[in-house]
Amino acid sequence: MSFKNNIFFITFILVTSQYWFGLNTNHEIKTNTKKDNDTLGYIIPTTTDTKGLHFQEGFDMDLLLSKLPQVFVAMPAKAAGSTMKRFTSQCTGFRMFGKGVLHDNLLNTDERLKRILLQDIKPPSLIASHLNRGEVLQRLIKHSSTQSLVIYLHREETDRLLAAISTVVANRMCGEKKFNNNAANAATCAIKEGDLVQQIEARNLEIGQSGPRILTCEVYKAIEENQPNMVFVSYKQVGKLQKLLAKYHCPELLDKPAVHANARIDHKTVMITDINGNITQSIDLQEWSSAKRNVLELSLNLKKDVTCQGRTREMERMLFQSDNL
């Protein structure tokens, strides 16, 4: 079925330059606040002397992509990043996904950014990358041109954390004998609760590559000061986003199924032990995470470095409520 016969809706937050499409400094723009079959919902931030940066709904993503030829898609760990990197690789022909790939997560390093500048006369018009710190997003915000669009894929942090825990357990702890006595057969992985908590507290790997470490006060300040062309998109909407991106960057993919990178993670077991190390209970990892969900971050002080969380939550309320996500 072709793209023209389908209607795709994405709820997103738009952070945009006041000069987009001839907008003047008074932000005089006629907006269509009604969602219908021909438009996407939109949100435009308004900067005022009294309120500063805040968010408003409304925009047509299709029109946005038709006007801005260069697109950057950025995200924390466990926010559909691998999916978007794989799609981007297929779309542009530049490999941006996979272990050891030179362009993987290229926004995080000067060397990789320079490589795309030197490798070809025409760099890819669509670039996707995980972010490992807020400074990387600040740089992108400050240096993106008026013909560029920054799309930030967002996931609520506690939900993202639980997904990251599952990934770290499955991809690291289950394969190491110091954590799992059955490391040769990770399908039967069982790890001790104490070891798991230590990994979470240390914020290792995907656990620490979080949204709050990226969306800092300094990042929001950079948004306000630089007014980039930027949107916040729910990670749940990447299938729809791929179709919209394909329309302008790789129309040959329009009839292809949406790309999904991460395979299902099999259930793992957490062994709960007493003070002497004796196993007292075994529980499925997903069940363990669900039970601990609302106290994990508090107990382990995981947000001790977080700043401007209130601003992120203001954005989240609009982002998720609008489409009941």
Side-chain angles (χ1 to χ4, degrees):
M1 185 177 292
S2 69
F3 174 80
K4 292 181 179 179
N5 294 329
N6 289 276
I7 299 166
F8 299 97
F9 289 95
I10 298 178
T11 302
F12 57 88
I13 307 294
L14 172 64
V15 183
T16 177
S17 167
Q18 62 188 1
Y19 300 106
W20 272 15
F21 318 136
L23 302 186
N24 61 29
T25 55
N26 294 322
H27 294 268
E28 293 174 0
I29 181 172
K30 293 181 179 180
T31 58
N32 175 13
T33 58
K34 179 181 178 182
K35 288 186 180 181
D36 55 37
N37 290 339
D38 299 317
T39 62
L40 297 173
Y42 60 81
I43 295 175
I44 298 178
T46 302
T47 302
T48 63
D49 293 337
T50 57
K51 197 172 182 179
L53 180 70
H54 57 286
F55 306 100
Q56 294 180 348
E57 282 192 281
F59 211 82
D60 185 335
M61 177 68 96
D62 193 286
L63 175 63
L64 194 60
L65 292 171
S66 74
K67 298 293 185 180
L68 300 171
Q70 180 66 51
V71 178
F72 299 93
V73 185
M75 72 295 293
K78 310 313 300 177
S82 295
T83 289
M84 285 307 303
K85 289 191 297 181
R86 178 169 286 180
F87 164 78
T88 300
S89 298
Q90 294 180 9
C91 182
T92 64
F94 283 76
R95 287 191 64 199
M96 301 182 194
F97 175 80
K99 187 175 182 180
V101 173
L102 294 179
H103 299 114
D104 191 28
N105 297 328
L106 60 86
L107 292 179
N108 292 312
T109 64
D110 290 344
E111 180 185 357
R112 293 187 178 187
L113 280 168
K114 288 179 182 177
R115 189 177 288 124
I116 64 165
L117 186 66
L118 300 172
Q119 181 169 336
D120 203 328
I121 190 65
K122 188 176 180 357
S125 61
L126 177 60
I127 292 173
S129 174
H130 284 104
L131 305 181
N132 59 20
R133 60 194 185 279
E135 291 81 2
V136 178
L137 185 53
Q138 284 179 251
R139 174 176 177 169
L140 183 57
I141 288 167
K142 289 179 180 179
H143 293 89
S144 61
S145 73
T146 56
Q147 292 297 303
S148 298
L149 173 65
V150 177
I151 298 176
Y152 181 88
L153 297 180
H154 185 71
R155 185 172 187 173
E156 191 276 327
E157 176 54 24
T158 305
D159 185 51
R160 189 213 66 83
L161 171 64
L162 299 189
I165 291 171
S166 294
T167 297
V168 169
V169 168
N171 295 345
R172 180 188 178 186
M173 297 184 73
C174 288
E176 296 188 18
K177 193 168 182 62
K178 67 177 179 178
F179 297 123
N180 175 30
N181 289 331
N182 297 316
N185 182 12
T188 60
C189 175
I191 59 173
K192 293 182 179 179
E193 185 180 40
D195 291 337
L196 175 57
V197 169
Q198 286 180 357
Q199 290 294 305
I200 299 170
E201 186 172 21
R203 296 186 286 185
N204 288 331
L205 303 172
E206 288 91 342
I207 293 171
Q209 297 165 17
S210 66
R213 281 189 166 184
I214 297 169
L215 297 179
T216 63
C217 284
E218 289 303 313
V219 164
Y220 285 119
K221 181 180 179 182
I223 292 172
E224 188 169 3
E225 291 181 348
N226 294 277
Q227 297 189 350
N229 304 327
M230 181 175 175
V231 298
F232 289 78
V233 179
S234 167
Y235 82 104
K236 294 182 179 180
Q237 302 281 22
V238 292
K240 300 171 186 178
L241 179 61
Q242 286 178 33
K243 291 297 182 183
L244 286 166
L245 290 169
K247 180 179 179 181
Y248 295 101
H249 295 270
C250 45
E252 68 276 9
L253 297 183
L254 279 173
D255 293 330
K256 302 292 185 181
V259 174
H260 297 286
N262 285 332
R264 179 181 63 86
I265 295 177
D266 293 330
H267 289 286
K268 309 301 180 183
T269 300
V270 177
M271 297 184 297
I272 300 175
T273 60
D274 60 22
I275 194 170
N276 297 316
N278 299 313
I279 299 174
T280 60
Q281 184 180 355
S282 295
I283 185 172
D284 180 82
L285 175 61
Q286 304 304 318
E287 187 178 348
W288 183 90
S289 297
S290 179
K292 310 288 187 181
R293 177 188 181 96
N294 295 317
V295 295
L296 264 176
E297 291 157 306
L298 172 63
S299 299
L300 300 179
N301 202 17
L302 297 181
K303 291 184 175 180
K304 59 185 176 182
D305 303 321
V306 171
T307 59
C308 285
Q309 184 172 227
R311 182 156 283 178
T312 297
R313 286 178 171 172
E314 176 190 357
M315 177 269 291
E316 284 179 336
R317 281 192 289 270
M318 300 180 70
L319 183 64
F320 299 139
Q321 179 179 335
S322 214
D323 246 3
N324 297 317
L325 295 174

